[in-house]
Amino acid sequence: MKLRVGDAVLAAAVVALMAVLPSVYSNELLLFNFVMFLTLSQGLNILYGFTGYLPFGYVGFFGAGAYGFAIAVMNYGAGPLPAMLIAAAAAVILALVLMPLLRLSGAYFAIASLAAAQAVYQVISNPALEQVTKGPYGVSLTGVFAPRLSYYVAVGIMAGTFALVVWLRNSRFGLALQAIREDTVSAGMAGVSVVRFRTVAWLLSALVAGLVGGVFAWHISVFYPDTAFDVGISIFATVFTLFGGATTLTGPLLGVAILYGVYNAIGITVPQYFQLIYGTLIVGLVMFLPNGLVSLLTRRGIRVP
Amino acid sequence: MSHSAANLLRVEQVVKRFGGFRALDGVSFHLDPGEVLGLVGPNGSGKTTCINVISGLYPPDGGAVMFEGRPIGGMPMHMLARRGINRTFQSPKPFLSLTVRENVEIAAAYGHGPGRAAPDLRALLASLELDGLAERAAGDLNSAQQKTLDLARALATAPRLLLVDELAAGLNPAELLRMAERLRALAADGMALLVVEHLMGFIDRVTDRVIVMNAGKEIFEGTLATATRDPEVIRVFLGGAHG
Ligand SMILES: Nc1ncnc2c1ncn2[C@@H]1O[C@H](COP(=O)(O)OP(=O)(O)OP(=O)(O)O)[C@@H](O)[C@H]1O
Ligand SMILES: [Mg+2]
């Protein structure tokens, strides 16, 4: 298949923008949060957009990554880069353990994945594990704090994730995943190894969340199980992706730019209005625009990256 | 009846149960390259189930399915596709949000195994009159076009054995004739076909031999002309919904 140029241009433009912004805008934590959600919603897009599985418990991989990083640093004196590898490994191992969930579908899968994330949270926040995880008291990492470097590593992870989505959108492998999403029986008869392909998508999606969790731990250094396993992270990533439109690169980017933008503009100062607007918006979208904002264009036959 | 182990497909005493109900109750037949076998019978007699078992959707609960001399019962669908078995579906199952071209591209990329040449997809779509629809989403197609797309997707894997399930339903007389010619041409090129169909005119035009099924059992095997004179076949068809 030919690479659609729009995909690569859009991905490169957003990466360049996020790389340049810290030199002109001083609220680095806000920028970091944007990078985090830009990456997480594309990571979720890999699973939901290409295979149709909607993981409400997506934050579980993020939390596993954050704690993988923290445990490597606290208990083994690892440097930040080896600790990032541990973060990635923690999320992928969790995904391997949770593979039986892929036998479920629809709402059952969504809810079971949420329950799994909660179970991991319960283990990590258990006071009995204080020696290893610091339990509910949270972690405070010393010696690795490097906000600039960790910001750029986060941008690098975002770039890698965008590249992955662009590849899925332009490769036979991505097409085969979409075939599985459309009809597993037909996909099998077309020669697609359904179980293996969807496992790959599941692991890639988990890997992205694990890396983001790891770099989050590195960037903020002090956090609690409630932060790293906040279901709000899953909800944000899901809503941003659905709002913009899954399976595209543009959709989740738009979702983050608009919804997370609005959230930061008004949601923090007047959360009650934000929740009202947000709730109304979600209901309206599900009813009138189930394929997200980009479907306003694709419906008219306009190709969207 | 030939009993050589060299048959392309051998179905031997196959049983398929759903709960306590036997949808297939000891079915046996064989099929060779270039041959077109019709599978007819009243509604619910087990024709689709037979295709589902051969194509790997369900494992058989008893008996054996042999393809090219090796047992394939219970093998996953994607492996069977690569070995050279493919099918259409009674209610078509294309990848609805993908384009017609993408539907066949996937099958050509993943479904054709070693030792078989990948067909020219453009020529394939043209031969099935789908070329004008290549960039349309499969979901925009009507039901007859979706069935043809199912066929195109199956053919994109260059199968040695093709199982077609009520492909003719919904086609107009001219389309029926063209479809019959296409299936004959595939057989002339050496493909083995199992054709499930209610339209006897179509069966007559396409098949070399038919099997008549009733309640999961084979009640007749031979030519269609002989079948129409067989007392049990007549009884089953007059008693059932179809003639
Ligand atoms: N997945 C299934 N679960 C339970 N019962 C099934 C299943 N598939 C088929 N059956 C039953 O098995 C019997 C045979 O069904 P099958 O679809 O093979 O019939 P058919 O000969 O193809 O009929 P038709 O001409 O209506 O397509 C029917 O009684 C059907 O209800
Ligand atoms: Mg049937």
Side-chain angles (χ1 to χ4, degrees), chain A residues 172-173 175 178-179 181-183 185-193 197, chain B residues 77-78 81-82 85-87 93 95-98 106-107 109-111 153:
Chain A
R172 281 179 169 167
F173 180 76
L175 207 53
Q178 294 183 65
R181 179 193 69 200
E182 295 294 299
D183 192 315
V185 169
S186 289
M189 206 70 262
V192 176
S193 173
F197 280 37
Chain B
M77 295 185 93
H78 69 276
R82 287 173 200 171
I85 299 179
N86 227 288
R87 65 172 292 177
K93 287 161 79 70
F95 308 122
L96 292 172
S97 77
L98 305 185
I106 292 166
Y110 290 98
R153 192 176 57 198

PDB file of all heavy atoms in Angstrom, chain A residues 172-173 175 178-179 181-183 185-193 197, chain B residues 77-78 81-82 85-87 93 95-98 106-107 109-111 153:
ATOM      1  N   ARG A 172      -0.576  -3.594   5.443  1.00  0.00           N
ATOM      2  CA  ARG A 172      -1.462  -4.756   5.355  1.00  0.00           C
ATOM      3  C   ARG A 172      -1.812  -5.272   6.732  1.00  0.00           C
ATOM      4  O   ARG A 172      -2.912  -5.749   6.955  1.00  0.00           O
ATOM      5  CB  ARG A 172      -0.763  -5.869   4.584  1.00  0.00           C
ATOM      6  CG  ARG A 172      -0.810  -5.632   3.126  1.00  0.00           C
ATOM      7  CD  ARG A 172      -0.085  -6.748   2.435  1.00  0.00           C
ATOM      8  NE  ARG A 172      -0.365  -6.648   1.013  1.00  0.00           N
ATOM      9  CZ  ARG A 172       0.296  -7.302   0.092  1.00  0.00           C
ATOM     10  NH1 ARG A 172       1.280  -8.107   0.450  1.00  0.00           N
ATOM     11  NH2 ARG A 172      -0.016  -7.180  -1.165  1.00  0.00           N
ATOM     12  N   PHE A 173      -0.838  -5.170   7.645  1.00  0.00           N
ATOM     13  CA  PHE A 173      -1.106  -5.646   8.994  1.00  0.00           C
ATOM     14  C   PHE A 173      -2.271  -4.865   9.612  1.00  0.00           C
ATOM     15  O   PHE A 173      -3.184  -5.448  10.198  1.00  0.00           O
ATOM     16  CB  PHE A 173       0.152  -5.507   9.870  1.00  0.00           C
ATOM     17  CG  PHE A 173      -0.046  -5.982  11.272  1.00  0.00           C
ATOM     18  CD1 PHE A 173      -0.070  -7.336  11.557  1.00  0.00           C
ATOM     19  CD2 PHE A 173      -0.238  -5.083  12.309  1.00  0.00           C
ATOM     20  CE1 PHE A 173      -0.274  -7.789  12.852  1.00  0.00           C
ATOM     21  CE2 PHE A 173      -0.449  -5.525  13.610  1.00  0.00           C
ATOM     22  CZ  PHE A 173      -0.464  -6.883  13.871  1.00  0.00           C
ATOM     23  N   LEU A 175      -4.599  -3.320   8.030  1.00  0.00           N
ATOM     24  CA  LEU A 175      -5.813  -3.692   7.305  1.00  0.00           C
ATOM     25  C   LEU A 175      -6.367  -5.017   7.832  1.00  0.00           C
ATOM     26  O   LEU A 175      -7.580  -5.186   8.023  1.00  0.00           O
ATOM     27  CB  LEU A 175      -5.457  -3.810   5.821  1.00  0.00           C
ATOM     28  CG  LEU A 175      -6.544  -3.570   4.789  1.00  0.00           C
ATOM     29  CD1 LEU A 175      -7.240  -2.246   5.013  1.00  0.00           C
ATOM     30  CD2 LEU A 175      -5.929  -3.617   3.390  1.00  0.00           C
ATOM     31  N   GLN A 178      -8.160  -4.433  10.999  1.00  0.00           N
ATOM     32  CA  GLN A 178      -9.502  -3.884  10.771  1.00  0.00           C
ATOM     33  C   GLN A 178     -10.456  -4.962  10.280  1.00  0.00           C
ATOM     34  O   GLN A 178     -11.642  -4.946  10.600  1.00  0.00           O
ATOM     35  CB  GLN A 178      -9.443  -2.742   9.761  1.00  0.00           C
ATOM     36  CG  GLN A 178      -8.676  -1.542  10.293  1.00  0.00           C
ATOM     37  CD  GLN A 178      -8.695  -0.396   9.305  1.00  0.00           C
ATOM     38  OE1 GLN A 178      -9.733   0.171   9.006  1.00  0.00           O
ATOM     39  NE2 GLN A 178      -7.534  -0.082   8.768  1.00  0.00           N
ATOM     40  N   ALA A 179      -9.928  -5.905   9.509  1.00  0.00           N
ATOM     41  CA  ALA A 179     -10.766  -7.020   9.058  1.00  0.00           C
ATOM     42  C   ALA A 179     -11.253  -7.819  10.266  1.00  0.00           C
ATOM     43  O   ALA A 179     -12.421  -8.210  10.339  1.00  0.00           O
ATOM     44  CB  ALA A 179      -9.982  -7.915   8.100  1.00  0.00           C
ATOM     45  N   ARG A 181     -11.671  -6.647  13.265  1.00  0.00           N
ATOM     46  CA  ARG A 181     -12.672  -5.813  13.931  1.00  0.00           C
ATOM     47  C   ARG A 181     -14.036  -5.953  13.236  1.00  0.00           C
ATOM     48  O   ARG A 181     -15.069  -6.038  13.891  1.00  0.00           O
ATOM     49  CB  ARG A 181     -12.206  -4.349  13.874  1.00  0.00           C
ATOM     50  CG  ARG A 181     -13.160  -3.358  14.508  1.00  0.00           C
ATOM     51  CD  ARG A 181     -12.787  -1.931  14.123  1.00  0.00           C
ATOM     52  NE  ARG A 181     -13.038  -1.701  12.715  1.00  0.00           N
ATOM     53  CZ  ARG A 181     -12.492  -0.734  12.002  1.00  0.00           C
ATOM     54  NH1 ARG A 181     -11.642   0.105  12.542  1.00  0.00           N
ATOM     55  NH2 ARG A 181     -12.779  -0.606  10.723  1.00  0.00           N
ATOM     56  N   GLU A 182     -14.024  -6.027  11.902  1.00  0.00           N
ATOM     57  CA  GLU A 182     -15.278  -6.085  11.161  1.00  0.00           C
ATOM     58  C   GLU A 182     -15.959  -7.441  11.285  1.00  0.00           C
ATOM     59  O   GLU A 182     -17.178  -7.515  11.388  1.00  0.00           O
ATOM     60  CB  GLU A 182     -15.019  -5.785   9.675  1.00  0.00           C
ATOM     61  CG  GLU A 182     -14.523  -4.388   9.416  1.00  0.00           C
ATOM     62  CD  GLU A 182     -15.563  -3.346   9.750  1.00  0.00           C
ATOM     63  OE1 GLU A 182     -16.627  -3.372   9.126  1.00  0.00           O
ATOM     64  OE2 GLU A 182     -15.318  -2.522  10.645  1.00  0.00           O
ATOM     65  N   ASP A 183     -15.189  -8.521  11.183  1.00  0.00           N
ATOM     66  CA  ASP A 183     -15.800  -9.853  11.188  1.00  0.00           C
ATOM     67  C   ASP A 183     -14.716 -10.903  11.404  1.00  0.00           C
ATOM     68  O   ASP A 183     -13.915 -11.171  10.511  1.00  0.00           O
ATOM     69  CB  ASP A 183     -16.507 -10.090   9.844  1.00  0.00           C
ATOM     70  CG  ASP A 183     -17.407 -11.314   9.887  1.00  0.00           C
ATOM     71  OD1 ASP A 183     -16.972 -12.364  10.413  1.00  0.00           O
ATOM     72  OD2 ASP A 183     -18.539 -11.232   9.395  1.00  0.00           O
ATOM     73  N   VAL A 185     -14.874 -14.164  11.703  1.00  0.00           N
ATOM     74  CA  VAL A 185     -14.987 -15.377  10.896  1.00  0.00           C
ATOM     75  C   VAL A 185     -14.456 -15.119   9.488  1.00  0.00           C
ATOM     76  O   VAL A 185     -13.637 -15.877   8.956  1.00  0.00           O
ATOM     77  CB  VAL A 185     -16.452 -15.868  10.853  1.00  0.00           C
ATOM     78  CG1 VAL A 185     -16.627 -16.961   9.814  1.00  0.00           C
ATOM     79  CG2 VAL A 185     -16.872 -16.365  12.225  1.00  0.00           C
ATOM     80  N   SER A 186     -14.906 -14.015   8.894  1.00  0.00           N
ATOM     81  CA  SER A 186     -14.427 -13.688   7.554  1.00  0.00           C
ATOM     82  C   SER A 186     -12.925 -13.434   7.549  1.00  0.00           C
ATOM     83  O   SER A 186     -12.226 -13.801   6.597  1.00  0.00           O
ATOM     84  CB  SER A 186     -15.147 -12.461   7.006  1.00  0.00           C
ATOM     85  OG  SER A 186     -16.476 -12.778   6.696  1.00  0.00           O
ATOM     86  N   ALA A 187     -12.431 -12.800   8.610  1.00  0.00           N
ATOM     87  CA  ALA A 187     -10.995 -12.534   8.675  1.00  0.00           C
ATOM     88  C   ALA A 187     -10.232 -13.855   8.683  1.00  0.00           C
ATOM     89  O   ALA A 187      -9.240 -14.020   7.974  1.00  0.00           O
ATOM     90  CB  ALA A 187     -10.653 -11.711   9.910  1.00  0.00           C
ATOM     91  N   GLY A 188     -10.700 -14.821   9.472  1.00  0.00           N
ATOM     92  CA  GLY A 188     -10.062 -16.129   9.496  1.00  0.00           C
ATOM     93  C   GLY A 188     -10.072 -16.768   8.119  1.00  0.00           C
ATOM     94  O   GLY A 188      -9.064 -17.298   7.654  1.00  0.00           O
ATOM     95  N   MET A 189     -11.207 -16.683   7.445  1.00  0.00           N
ATOM     96  CA  MET A 189     -11.318 -17.311   6.124  1.00  0.00           C
ATOM     97  C   MET A 189     -10.465 -16.588   5.087  1.00  0.00           C
ATOM     98  O   MET A 189     -10.089 -17.160   4.081  1.00  0.00           O
ATOM     99  CB  MET A 189     -12.794 -17.331   5.698  1.00  0.00           C
ATOM    100  CG  MET A 189     -13.149 -18.432   4.740  1.00  0.00           C
ATOM    101  SD  MET A 189     -13.126 -20.121   5.410  1.00  0.00           S
ATOM    102  CE  MET A 189     -11.562 -20.770   4.917  1.00  0.00           C
ATOM    103  N   ALA A 190     -10.161 -15.302   5.359  1.00  0.00           N
ATOM    104  CA  ALA A 190      -9.263 -14.578   4.452  1.00  0.00           C
ATOM    105  C   ALA A 190      -7.799 -14.886   4.775  1.00  0.00           C
ATOM    106  O   ALA A 190      -6.902 -14.312   4.171  1.00  0.00           O
ATOM    107  CB  ALA A 190      -9.520 -13.074   4.538  1.00  0.00           C
ATOM    108  N   GLY A 191      -7.570 -15.776   5.739  1.00  0.00           N
ATOM    109  CA  GLY A 191      -6.215 -16.210   6.039  1.00  0.00           C
ATOM    110  C   GLY A 191      -5.556 -15.449   7.175  1.00  0.00           C
ATOM    111  O   GLY A 191      -4.376 -15.648   7.457  1.00  0.00           O
ATOM    112  N   VAL A 192      -6.306 -14.567   7.833  1.00  0.00           N
ATOM    113  CA  VAL A 192      -5.734 -13.776   8.922  1.00  0.00           C
ATOM    114  C   VAL A 192      -5.758 -14.608  10.209  1.00  0.00           C
ATOM    115  O   VAL A 192      -6.797 -15.134  10.597  1.00  0.00           O
ATOM    116  CB  VAL A 192      -6.528 -12.478   9.133  1.00  0.00           C
ATOM    117  CG1 VAL A 192      -5.985 -11.706  10.333  1.00  0.00           C
ATOM    118  CG2 VAL A 192      -6.482 -11.619   7.873  1.00  0.00           C
ATOM    119  N   SER A 193      -4.611 -14.700  10.860  1.00  0.00           N
ATOM    120  CA  SER A 193      -4.525 -15.433  12.111  1.00  0.00           C
ATOM    121  C   SER A 193      -5.075 -14.534  13.220  1.00  0.00           C
ATOM    122  O   SER A 193      -4.365 -13.738  13.819  1.00  0.00           O
ATOM    123  CB  SER A 193      -3.066 -15.795  12.373  1.00  0.00           C
ATOM    124  OG  SER A 193      -2.966 -16.363  13.635  1.00  0.00           O
ATOM    125  N   PHE A 197      -2.866 -11.915  15.594  1.00  0.00           N
ATOM    126  CA  PHE A 197      -2.841 -10.499  15.217  1.00  0.00           C
ATOM    127  C   PHE A 197      -3.408  -9.629  16.320  1.00  0.00           C
ATOM    128  O   PHE A 197      -2.900  -8.569  16.623  1.00  0.00           O
ATOM    129  CB  PHE A 197      -3.625 -10.285  13.916  1.00  0.00           C
ATOM    130  CG  PHE A 197      -2.829 -10.660  12.695  1.00  0.00           C
ATOM    131  CD1 PHE A 197      -1.964 -11.732  12.702  1.00  0.00           C
ATOM    132  CD2 PHE A 197      -2.952  -9.924  11.533  1.00  0.00           C
ATOM    133  CE1 PHE A 197      -1.230 -12.087  11.585  1.00  0.00           C
ATOM    134  CE2 PHE A 197      -2.224 -10.261  10.407  1.00  0.00           C
ATOM    135  CZ  PHE A 197      -1.366 -11.343  10.429  1.00  0.00           C
TER     136      PHE A 197
ATOM    137  N   MET B  77      -9.453 -21.764  10.777  1.00  0.00           N
ATOM    138  CA  MET B  77      -9.835 -21.317   9.441  1.00  0.00           C
ATOM    139  C   MET B  77      -8.663 -20.731   8.655  1.00  0.00           C
ATOM    140  O   MET B  77      -8.538 -20.984   7.463  1.00  0.00           O
ATOM    141  CB  MET B  77     -10.936 -20.260   9.545  1.00  0.00           C
ATOM    142  CG  MET B  77     -12.225 -20.776  10.113  1.00  0.00           C
ATOM    143  SD  MET B  77     -13.519 -19.522  10.074  1.00  0.00           S
ATOM    144  CE  MET B  77     -14.297 -19.899   8.516  1.00  0.00           C
ATOM    145  N   HIS B  78      -7.816 -19.926   9.317  1.00  0.00           N
ATOM    146  CA  HIS B  78      -6.778 -19.264   8.530  1.00  0.00           C
ATOM    147  C   HIS B  78      -5.773 -20.259   7.961  1.00  0.00           C
ATOM    148  O   HIS B  78      -5.232 -20.051   6.883  1.00  0.00           O
ATOM    149  CB  HIS B  78      -6.087 -18.159   9.340  1.00  0.00           C
ATOM    150  CG  HIS B  78      -5.242 -18.651  10.468  1.00  0.00           C
ATOM    151  ND1 HIS B  78      -5.764 -18.950  11.706  1.00  0.00           N
ATOM    152  CD2 HIS B  78      -3.924 -18.901  10.545  1.00  0.00           C
ATOM    153  CE1 HIS B  78      -4.777 -19.357  12.494  1.00  0.00           C
ATOM    154  NE2 HIS B  78      -3.667 -19.342  11.816  1.00  0.00           N
ATOM    155  N   ALA B  81      -7.493 -21.801   4.971  1.00  0.00           N
ATOM    156  CA  ALA B  81      -7.465 -20.864   3.839  1.00  0.00           C
ATOM    157  C   ALA B  81      -6.113 -20.961   3.139  1.00  0.00           C
ATOM    158  O   ALA B  81      -6.028 -21.033   1.912  1.00  0.00           O
ATOM    159  CB  ALA B  81      -7.717 -19.442   4.329  1.00  0.00           C
ATOM    160  N   ARG B  82      -5.033 -21.001   3.934  1.00  0.00           N
ATOM    161  CA  ARG B  82      -3.700 -21.065   3.327  1.00  0.00           C
ATOM    162  C   ARG B  82      -3.464 -22.395   2.627  1.00  0.00           C
ATOM    163  O   ARG B  82      -2.702 -22.471   1.666  1.00  0.00           O
ATOM    164  CB  ARG B  82      -2.625 -20.815   4.379  1.00  0.00           C
ATOM    165  CG  ARG B  82      -2.607 -19.353   4.773  1.00  0.00           C
ATOM    166  CD  ARG B  82      -1.688 -19.081   5.928  1.00  0.00           C
ATOM    167  NE  ARG B  82      -2.076 -17.810   6.548  1.00  0.00           N
ATOM    168  CZ  ARG B  82      -1.579 -17.361   7.684  1.00  0.00           C
ATOM    169  NH1 ARG B  82      -0.669 -18.059   8.317  1.00  0.00           N
ATOM    170  NH2 ARG B  82      -1.990 -16.215   8.178  1.00  0.00           N
ATOM    171  N   ILE B  85      -8.504 -23.996   1.007  1.00  0.00           N
ATOM    172  CA  ILE B  85      -9.947 -24.155   1.131  1.00  0.00           C
ATOM    173  C   ILE B  85     -10.543 -22.771   1.346  1.00  0.00           C
ATOM    174  O   ILE B  85     -10.055 -22.010   2.186  1.00  0.00           O
ATOM    175  CB  ILE B  85     -10.309 -25.064   2.320  1.00  0.00           C
ATOM    176  CG1 ILE B  85      -9.706 -26.456   2.106  1.00  0.00           C
ATOM    177  CG2 ILE B  85     -11.824 -25.150   2.513  1.00  0.00           C
ATOM    178  CD1 ILE B  85      -9.986 -27.430   3.233  1.00  0.00           C
ATOM    179  N   ASN B  86     -11.570 -22.419   0.594  1.00  0.00           N
ATOM    180  CA  ASN B  86     -12.249 -21.170   0.890  1.00  0.00           C
ATOM    181  C   ASN B  86     -13.738 -21.281   0.619  1.00  0.00           C
ATOM    182  O   ASN B  86     -14.202 -22.317   0.136  1.00  0.00           O
ATOM    183  CB  ASN B  86     -11.619 -19.974   0.192  1.00  0.00           C
ATOM    184  CG  ASN B  86     -11.444 -18.827   1.180  1.00  0.00           C
ATOM    185  OD1 ASN B  86     -12.421 -18.199   1.596  1.00  0.00           O
ATOM    186  ND2 ASN B  86     -10.196 -18.579   1.594  1.00  0.00           N
ATOM    187  N   ARG B  87     -14.485 -20.239   0.983  1.00  0.00           N
ATOM    188  CA  ARG B  87     -15.934 -20.360   0.990  1.00  0.00           C
ATOM    189  C   ARG B  87     -16.597 -19.000   0.848  1.00  0.00           C
ATOM    190  O   ARG B  87     -15.989 -17.964   1.063  1.00  0.00           O
ATOM    191  CB  ARG B  87     -16.391 -20.975   2.309  1.00  0.00           C
ATOM    192  CG  ARG B  87     -16.084 -20.047   3.478  1.00  0.00           C
ATOM    193  CD  ARG B  87     -16.688 -20.527   4.781  1.00  0.00           C
ATOM    194  NE  ARG B  87     -18.140 -20.446   4.758  1.00  0.00           N
ATOM    195  CZ  ARG B  87     -18.923 -20.853   5.752  1.00  0.00           C
ATOM    196  NH1 ARG B  87     -18.373 -21.382   6.841  1.00  0.00           N
ATOM    197  NH2 ARG B  87     -20.226 -20.742   5.668  1.00  0.00           N
ATOM    198  N   LYS B  93     -20.699 -11.917   4.385  1.00  0.00           N
ATOM    199  CA  LYS B  93     -19.966 -11.352   5.517  1.00  0.00           C
ATOM    200  C   LYS B  93     -18.726 -10.610   5.039  1.00  0.00           C
ATOM    201  O   LYS B  93     -17.610 -10.966   5.420  1.00  0.00           O
ATOM    202  CB  LYS B  93     -19.534 -12.480   6.466  1.00  0.00           C
ATOM    203  CG  LYS B  93     -20.666 -13.080   7.270  1.00  0.00           C
ATOM    204  CD  LYS B  93     -20.290 -14.459   7.808  1.00  0.00           C
ATOM    205  CE  LYS B  93     -19.424 -14.409   9.027  1.00  0.00           C
ATOM    206  NZ  LYS B  93     -20.144 -13.918  10.208  1.00  0.00           N
ATOM    207  N   PHE B  95     -16.058  -7.333   4.922  1.00  0.00           N
ATOM    208  CA  PHE B  95     -15.587  -6.362   5.918  1.00  0.00           C
ATOM    209  C   PHE B  95     -16.248  -5.034   5.559  1.00  0.00           C
ATOM    210  O   PHE B  95     -15.803  -4.324   4.659  1.00  0.00           O
ATOM    211  CB  PHE B  95     -14.067  -6.266   5.880  1.00  0.00           C
ATOM    212  CG  PHE B  95     -13.384  -7.605   5.988  1.00  0.00           C
ATOM    213  CD1 PHE B  95     -12.513  -8.045   4.998  1.00  0.00           C
ATOM    214  CD2 PHE B  95     -13.624  -8.435   7.073  1.00  0.00           C
ATOM    215  CE1 PHE B  95     -11.884  -9.275   5.095  1.00  0.00           C
ATOM    216  CE2 PHE B  95     -12.993  -9.673   7.186  1.00  0.00           C
ATOM    217  CZ  PHE B  95     -12.133 -10.094   6.188  1.00  0.00           C
ATOM    218  N   LEU B  96     -17.332  -4.711   6.266  1.00  0.00           N
ATOM    219  CA  LEU B  96     -18.249  -3.663   5.805  1.00  0.00           C
ATOM    220  C   LEU B  96     -17.616  -2.281   5.682  1.00  0.00           C
ATOM    221  O   LEU B  96     -17.925  -1.547   4.757  1.00  0.00           O
ATOM    222  CB  LEU B  96     -19.468  -3.594   6.736  1.00  0.00           C
ATOM    223  CG  LEU B  96     -20.384  -4.823   6.677  1.00  0.00           C
ATOM    224  CD1 LEU B  96     -21.448  -4.744   7.765  1.00  0.00           C
ATOM    225  CD2 LEU B  96     -21.035  -4.955   5.308  1.00  0.00           C
ATOM    226  N   SER B  97     -16.737  -1.911   6.616  1.00  0.00           N
ATOM    227  CA  SER B  97     -16.223  -0.539   6.567  1.00  0.00           C
ATOM    228  C   SER B  97     -15.009  -0.422   5.637  1.00  0.00           C
ATOM    229  O   SER B  97     -14.523   0.671   5.395  1.00  0.00           O
ATOM    230  CB  SER B  97     -15.878  -0.038   7.968  1.00  0.00           C
ATOM    231  OG  SER B  97     -14.657  -0.614   8.375  1.00  0.00           O
ATOM    232  N   LEU B  98     -14.533  -1.544   5.127  1.00  0.00           N
ATOM    233  CA  LEU B  98     -13.394  -1.496   4.205  1.00  0.00           C
ATOM    234  C   LEU B  98     -13.903  -1.458   2.769  1.00  0.00           C
ATOM    235  O   LEU B  98     -15.030  -1.849   2.487  1.00  0.00           O
ATOM    236  CB  LEU B  98     -12.481  -2.712   4.420  1.00  0.00           C
ATOM    237  CG  LEU B  98     -11.981  -2.912   5.852  1.00  0.00           C
ATOM    238  CD1 LEU B  98     -11.002  -4.076   5.917  1.00  0.00           C
ATOM    239  CD2 LEU B  98     -11.318  -1.653   6.395  1.00  0.00           C
ATOM    240  N   ILE B 106      -6.813  -8.108   1.388  1.00  0.00           N
ATOM    241  CA  ILE B 106      -6.494  -8.825   2.622  1.00  0.00           C
ATOM    242  C   ILE B 106      -6.416 -10.322   2.345  1.00  0.00           C
ATOM    243  O   ILE B 106      -5.469 -11.000   2.748  1.00  0.00           O
ATOM    244  CB  ILE B 106      -7.553  -8.537   3.707  1.00  0.00           C
ATOM    245  CG1 ILE B 106      -7.452  -7.088   4.154  1.00  0.00           C
ATOM    246  CG2 ILE B 106      -7.400  -9.477   4.892  1.00  0.00           C
ATOM    247  CD1 ILE B 106      -8.641  -6.620   4.962  1.00  0.00           C
ATOM    248  N   ALA B 107      -7.414 -10.824   1.627  1.00  0.00           N
ATOM    249  CA  ALA B 107      -7.447 -12.264   1.347  1.00  0.00           C
ATOM    250  C   ALA B 107      -6.263 -12.675   0.487  1.00  0.00           C
ATOM    251  O   ALA B 107      -5.650 -13.721   0.714  1.00  0.00           O
ATOM    252  CB  ALA B 107      -8.763 -12.633   0.672  1.00  0.00           C
ATOM    253  N   ALA B 109      -3.375 -11.177   0.374  1.00  0.00           N
ATOM    254  CA  ALA B 109      -2.131 -11.021   1.126  1.00  0.00           C
ATOM    255  C   ALA B 109      -1.936 -12.147   2.137  1.00  0.00           C
ATOM    256  O   ALA B 109      -0.835 -12.625   2.333  1.00  0.00           O
ATOM    257  CB  ALA B 109      -2.119  -9.672   1.843  1.00  0.00           C
ATOM    258  N   TYR B 110      -3.023 -12.548   2.795  1.00  0.00           N
ATOM    259  CA  TYR B 110      -2.863 -13.499   3.906  1.00  0.00           C
ATOM    260  C   TYR B 110      -3.363 -14.902   3.597  1.00  0.00           C
ATOM    261  O   TYR B 110      -2.959 -15.847   4.253  1.00  0.00           O
ATOM    262  CB  TYR B 110      -3.602 -12.965   5.145  1.00  0.00           C
ATOM    263  CG  TYR B 110      -2.931 -11.762   5.721  1.00  0.00           C
ATOM    264  CD1 TYR B 110      -3.386 -10.480   5.423  1.00  0.00           C
ATOM    265  CD2 TYR B 110      -1.804 -11.906   6.520  1.00  0.00           C
ATOM    266  CE1 TYR B 110      -2.739  -9.361   5.931  1.00  0.00           C
ATOM    267  CE2 TYR B 110      -1.154 -10.802   7.032  1.00  0.00           C
ATOM    268  CZ  TYR B 110      -1.626  -9.531   6.739  1.00  0.00           C
ATOM    269  OH  TYR B 110      -0.981  -8.441   7.237  1.00  0.00           O
ATOM    270  N   GLY B 111      -4.284 -15.022   2.639  1.00  0.00           N
ATOM    271  CA  GLY B 111      -4.980 -16.298   2.496  1.00  0.00           C
ATOM    272  C   GLY B 111      -4.392 -17.248   1.481  1.00  0.00           C
ATOM    273  O   GLY B 111      -4.832 -18.385   1.396  1.00  0.00           O
ATOM    274  N   ARG B 153     -13.515 -12.446  -2.632  1.00  0.00           N
ATOM    275  CA  ARG B 153     -12.554 -12.579  -1.532  1.00  0.00           C
ATOM    276  C   ARG B 153     -12.056 -14.015  -1.434  1.00  0.00           C
ATOM    277  O   ARG B 153     -10.869 -14.263  -1.235  1.00  0.00           O
ATOM    278  CB  ARG B 153     -13.210 -12.137  -0.224  1.00  0.00           C
ATOM    279  CG  ARG B 153     -12.234 -11.963   0.911  1.00  0.00           C
ATOM    280  CD  ARG B 153     -12.916 -11.443   2.151  1.00  0.00           C
ATOM    281  NE  ARG B 153     -13.995 -12.325   2.559  1.00  0.00           N
ATOM    282  CZ  ARG B 153     -14.968 -11.983   3.382  1.00  0.00           C
ATOM    283  NH1 ARG B 153     -15.016 -10.770   3.874  1.00  0.00           N
ATOM    284  NH2 ARG B 153     -15.912 -12.838   3.703  1.00  0.00           N
TER     285      ARG B 153
END
